[in-house]
Amino acid sequence: MDLKSLSNEELKELVIKGEIGAAELTDAGICPTCFNRENGNILYGDDTGRMLYEDEDFECFFVGNPRADGHVAISTKKHFKDMMEIDDEICTKIFVLAKKVMNLIKDTYGAESVYLCTMCDGPMNHFHLQLIPRYSFEKRGSKNFVKPRFEYKEDTEKLNELRKKLDYK
Ligand SMILES: [Zn+2]
């Protein structure tokens, strides 16, 4: 089946029926992140409870499968496949925002440091930054980028504190 020739409505129906998911969309050259956003979180489910900040260019949110407490992602709203594709204005804005969020995560979570990585690769990706806290009981170093993932659990107090500091309503 050539998914690229289908309409958005037809694609939505296949997703709802469980016949296709992110992998199939990716293989067909359709960005799952954009598809999900344009169709009310149809693919990944409602993430409004994990949202920390939003403006016309970016979304900043707790990831659903974090590698550490306080693991946050910042994603562009517009589609770019990786950092090499973004224009200088978006580049400047996202790193200034990342710096602010990293400091807030460090304070709110009592992390010793916060790591930043972006490693979009492959035929279909949506540019995003990952901010991963490293705590005092953890060793320094790049192994922090591959800490085992676990299911996100809401810490309402910290969520609200970060939202307040980022002026997110
Ligand atoms: Zn995209």
Side-chain angles (χ1 to χ4, degrees), residues 21-38:
E24 287 74 20
L25 290 169
T26 301
D27 288 343
I30 299 164
C31 174
T33 304
C34 289
F35 182 84
N36 182 62
R37 180 177 295 132
E38 285 155 14

mmCIF file of all heavy atoms in Angstrom, residues 21-38:
data_model
loop_
_atom_site.group_PDB
_atom_site.id
_atom_site.type_symbol
_atom_site.label_atom_id
_atom_site.label_comp_id
_atom_site.label_asym_id
_atom_site.label_seq_id
_atom_site.Cartn_x
_atom_site.Cartn_y
_atom_site.Cartn_z
ATOM 1 N N GLY A 21 1.242 2.544 12.147
ATOM 2 C CA GLY A 21 1.733 3.357 13.265
ATOM 3 C C GLY A 21 2.898 4.215 12.799
ATOM 4 O O GLY A 21 3.098 4.412 11.597
ATOM 5 N N ALA A 22 3.658 4.699 13.773
ATOM 6 C CA ALA A 22 4.762 5.615 13.486
ATOM 7 C C ALA A 22 5.766 5.000 12.495
ATOM 8 O O ALA A 22 6.234 5.683 11.582
ATOM 9 C CB ALA A 22 5.465 5.997 14.780
ATOM 10 N N ALA A 23 6.060 3.720 12.653
ATOM 11 C CA ALA A 23 7.068 3.081 11.797
ATOM 12 C C ALA A 23 6.622 3.066 10.333
ATOM 13 O O ALA A 23 7.411 3.366 9.428
ATOM 14 C CB ALA A 23 7.338 1.662 12.280
ATOM 15 N N GLU A 24 5.352 2.754 10.101
ATOM 16 C CA GLU A 24 4.834 2.690 8.730
ATOM 17 C C GLU A 24 4.817 4.080 8.096
ATOM 18 O O GLU A 24 5.117 4.236 6.915
ATOM 19 C CB GLU A 24 3.423 2.074 8.697
ATOM 20 C CG GLU A 24 3.385 0.574 8.950
ATOM 21 C CD GLU A 24 3.627 0.189 10.404
ATOM 22 O OE1 GLU A 24 3.450 1.056 11.292
ATOM 23 O OE2 GLU A 24 4.005 -0.976 10.641
ATOM 24 N N LEU A 25 4.426 5.087 8.897
ATOM 25 C CA LEU A 25 4.421 6.458 8.380
ATOM 26 C C LEU A 25 5.845 6.882 8.015
ATOM 27 O O LEU A 25 6.086 7.440 6.945
ATOM 28 C CB LEU A 25 3.832 7.426 9.414
ATOM 29 C CG LEU A 25 2.327 7.296 9.677
ATOM 30 C CD1 LEU A 25 1.934 8.126 10.898
ATOM 31 C CD2 LEU A 25 1.506 7.740 8.476
ATOM 32 N N THR A 26 6.780 6.589 8.912
ATOM 33 C CA THR A 26 8.186 6.919 8.666
ATOM 34 C C THR A 26 8.674 6.281 7.369
ATOM 35 O O THR A 26 9.286 6.948 6.531
ATOM 36 C CB THR A 26 9.061 6.434 9.843
ATOM 37 O OG1 THR A 26 8.603 7.076 11.034
ATOM 38 C CG2 THR A 26 10.524 6.780 9.637
ATOM 39 N N ASP A 27 8.376 4.994 7.204
ATOM 40 C CA ASP A 27 8.805 4.282 5.991
ATOM 41 C C ASP A 27 8.217 4.910 4.727
ATOM 42 O O ASP A 27 8.819 4.850 3.658
ATOM 43 C CB ASP A 27 8.387 2.803 6.057
ATOM 44 C CG ASP A 27 9.222 2.035 7.065
ATOM 45 O OD1 ASP A 27 10.290 2.546 7.452
ATOM 46 O OD2 ASP A 27 8.803 0.927 7.468
ATOM 47 N N ALA A 28 7.015 5.494 4.868
ATOM 48 C CA ALA A 28 6.357 6.106 3.709
ATOM 49 C C ALA A 28 6.801 7.558 3.500
ATOM 50 O O ALA A 28 6.295 8.242 2.614
ATOM 51 C CB ALA A 28 4.849 6.035 3.882
ATOM 52 N N GLY A 29 7.726 8.022 4.345
ATOM 53 C CA GLY A 29 8.212 9.390 4.194
ATOM 54 C C GLY A 29 7.284 10.429 4.794
ATOM 55 O O GLY A 29 7.319 11.597 4.420
ATOM 56 N N ILE A 30 6.424 9.992 5.729
ATOM 57 C CA ILE A 30 5.517 10.927 6.403
ATOM 58 C C ILE A 30 6.030 11.113 7.834
ATOM 59 O O ILE A 30 6.241 10.126 8.548
ATOM 60 C CB ILE A 30 4.072 10.379 6.431
ATOM 61 C CG1 ILE A 30 3.558 10.175 4.999
ATOM 62 C CG2 ILE A 30 3.145 11.298 7.223
ATOM 63 C CD1 ILE A 30 2.325 9.295 4.892
ATOM 64 N N CYS A 31 6.221 12.351 8.259
ATOM 65 C CA CYS A 31 6.747 12.595 9.606
ATOM 66 C C CYS A 31 5.675 12.262 10.646
ATOM 67 O O CYS A 31 4.631 12.908 10.684
ATOM 68 C CB CYS A 31 7.184 14.049 9.745
ATOM 69 S SG CYS A 31 7.668 14.458 11.439
ATOM 70 N N PRO A 32 5.924 11.279 11.523
ATOM 71 C CA PRO A 32 4.910 10.924 12.528
ATOM 72 C C PRO A 32 4.647 12.050 13.525
ATOM 73 O O PRO A 32 3.522 12.218 13.989
ATOM 74 C CB PRO A 32 5.486 9.696 13.233
ATOM 75 C CG PRO A 32 6.795 9.413 12.655
ATOM 76 C CD PRO A 32 7.117 10.427 11.602
ATOM 77 N N THR A 33 5.689 12.818 13.842
ATOM 78 C CA THR A 33 5.524 13.930 14.798
ATOM 79 C C THR A 33 4.561 14.978 14.242
ATOM 80 O O THR A 33 3.637 15.419 14.938
ATOM 81 C CB THR A 33 6.892 14.576 15.115
ATOM 82 O OG1 THR A 33 7.774 13.556 15.588
ATOM 83 C CG2 THR A 33 6.764 15.665 16.160
ATOM 84 N N CYS A 34 4.781 15.370 12.988
ATOM 85 C CA CYS A 34 3.883 16.356 12.358
ATOM 86 C C CYS A 34 2.487 15.766 12.187
ATOM 87 O O CYS A 34 1.485 16.432 12.456
ATOM 88 C CB CYS A 34 4.428 16.793 11.003
ATOM 89 S SG CYS A 34 5.893 17.839 11.122
ATOM 90 N N PHE A 35 2.422 14.508 11.743
ATOM 91 C CA PHE A 35 1.122 13.854 11.549
ATOM 92 C C PHE A 35 0.348 13.824 12.864
ATOM 93 O O PHE A 35 -0.843 14.130 12.916
ATOM 94 C CB PHE A 35 1.333 12.427 11.024
ATOM 95 C CG PHE A 35 0.045 11.688 10.758
ATOM 96 C CD1 PHE A 35 -0.623 11.861 9.556
ATOM 97 C CD2 PHE A 35 -0.504 10.843 11.712
ATOM 98 C CE1 PHE A 35 -1.823 11.197 9.311
ATOM 99 C CE2 PHE A 35 -1.692 10.177 11.474
ATOM 100 C CZ PHE A 35 -2.352 10.350 10.269
ATOM 101 N N ASN A 36 1.046 13.488 13.935
ATOM 102 C CA ASN A 36 0.425 13.429 15.260
ATOM 103 C C ASN A 36 -0.098 14.798 15.692
ATOM 104 O O ASN A 36 -1.227 14.930 16.165
ATOM 105 C CB ASN A 36 1.456 12.911 16.262
ATOM 106 C CG ASN A 36 0.909 12.766 17.663
ATOM 107 O OD1 ASN A 36 -0.022 11.994 17.900
ATOM 108 N ND2 ASN A 36 1.453 13.512 18.601
ATOM 109 N N ARG A 37 0.732 15.838 15.492
ATOM 110 C CA ARG A 37 0.357 17.182 15.921
ATOM 111 C C ARG A 37 -0.826 17.712 15.102
ATOM 112 O O ARG A 37 -1.741 18.318 15.643
ATOM 113 C CB ARG A 37 1.557 18.128 15.796
ATOM 114 C CG ARG A 37 1.236 19.552 16.234
ATOM 115 C CD ARG A 37 2.458 20.451 16.180
ATOM 116 N NE ARG A 37 3.471 20.017 17.138
ATOM 117 C CZ ARG A 37 4.751 19.862 16.857
ATOM 118 N NH1 ARG A 37 5.203 20.095 15.656
ATOM 119 N NH2 ARG A 37 5.604 19.489 17.786
ATOM 120 N N GLU A 38 -0.791 17.452 13.800
ATOM 121 C CA GLU A 38 -1.854 17.961 12.925
ATOM 122 C C GLU A 38 -3.172 17.210 13.125
ATOM 123 O O GLU A 38 -4.222 17.660 12.668
ATOM 124 C CB GLU A 38 -1.408 17.848 11.457
ATOM 125 C CG GLU A 38 -0.375 18.905 11.086
ATOM 126 C CD GLU A 38 0.508 18.483 9.901
ATOM 127 O OE1 GLU A 38 0.151 17.503 9.210
ATOM 128 O OE2 GLU A 38 1.544 19.139 9.692
#
